């Protein structure tokens, strides 16, 4: 089993069902999960709470996951600018994985996401 004890993951998705599925998968591995329904809410959380990793949907109304990671990468290292972010989407045809990585994400996953693969990806990004 993958151990994410003492790891805080921020999940950003406008789909409540996706938030619940991702939360269950990560909590099973011991992660503490924070949830945001919008990219703006996520940015507020990042500014106030120490987060070890971010899982963000790419396609959301208003500011999307790409906007969020662009804002994140503008922050100083000690203010959250280096938090590893995982992009997730059900629209793999709409997003190029290499471009998404070039824009600042550290990993790219396609919905539906395998729970074990999600936990393993988070673990690898936080050095577990």
């Amino acid at each position: 089993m993958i151990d994410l004890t003492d790891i805080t993951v921020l999940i950003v998705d406008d789909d409540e069902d996706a938030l619940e599925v991702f939360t269950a998968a990560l909590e099973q591995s011991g992660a503490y999960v924070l949830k945001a329904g919008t990219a703006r809410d996520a940015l507020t959380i990042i500014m106030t709470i120490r987060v070890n990793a971010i899982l963000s949907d790419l396609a959301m109304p208003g500011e999307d996951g790409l906007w969020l990671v662009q804002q994140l990468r503008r922050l100083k290292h000690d203010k959250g600018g280096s938090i590893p972010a995982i992009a997730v989407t059900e629209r793999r045809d709409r997003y190029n994985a290499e471009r998404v990585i070039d824009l600042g994400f550290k990993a790219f996953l396609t919905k539906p996401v395998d729970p074990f693969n999600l936990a393993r990806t988070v673990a690898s990004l936080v050095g577990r």
Side-chain angles (χ1 to χ4, degrees):
M1 183 170 139
I2 295 168
D3 182 15
L4 295 176
T5 304
D6 299 324
I7 300 298
T8 301
V9 181
L10 172 59
I11 302 171
V12 188
D13 202 310
D14 62 314
D15 181 336
E16 190 65 36
D17 291 338
L19 286 172
E20 294 309 315
V21 168
F22 296 147
T23 297
L26 293 170
E27 285 180 343
Q28 255 185 338
S29 294
Y32 177 70
V33 174
L34 300 169
K35 298 181 267 187
T38 70
R40 283 201 180 273
D41 288 347
L43 196 55
T44 299
I45 291 169
I46 292 163
M47 300 297 227
T48 57
I49 300 172
R50 185 179 170 274
V51 173
N52 301 102
I54 298 168
L55 174 68
S56 179
D57 188 24
L58 290 175
M60 294 183 286
E63 291 80 14
D64 60 12
L66 295 172
W67 177 88
L68 176 61
V69 85
Q70 288 169 341
Q71 302 308 306
L72 184 67
R73 297 302 171 236
R74 290 181 180 148
L75 299 174
K76 291 181 181 178
H77 177 80
D78 63 332
K79 298 293 184 189
S82 63
I83 299 169
I86 303 165
V88 63
T89 186
E90 59 189 24
R91 302 285 316 268
R92 188 166 184 94
D93 59 321
R94 183 174 168 190
Y95 297 97
N96 177 295
E98 286 179 22
R99 176 161 161 65
V100 168
I101 300 297
D102 287 344
L103 291 173
F105 282 95
K106 301 294 182 194
F108 182 80
L109 301 174
T110 305
K111 293 178 183 178
V113 176
D114 173 78
F116 180 78
N117 188 38
L118 174 58
R120 183 178 60 209
T121 302
V122 170
S124 71
L125 292 178
V126 298
R128 291 276 172 106

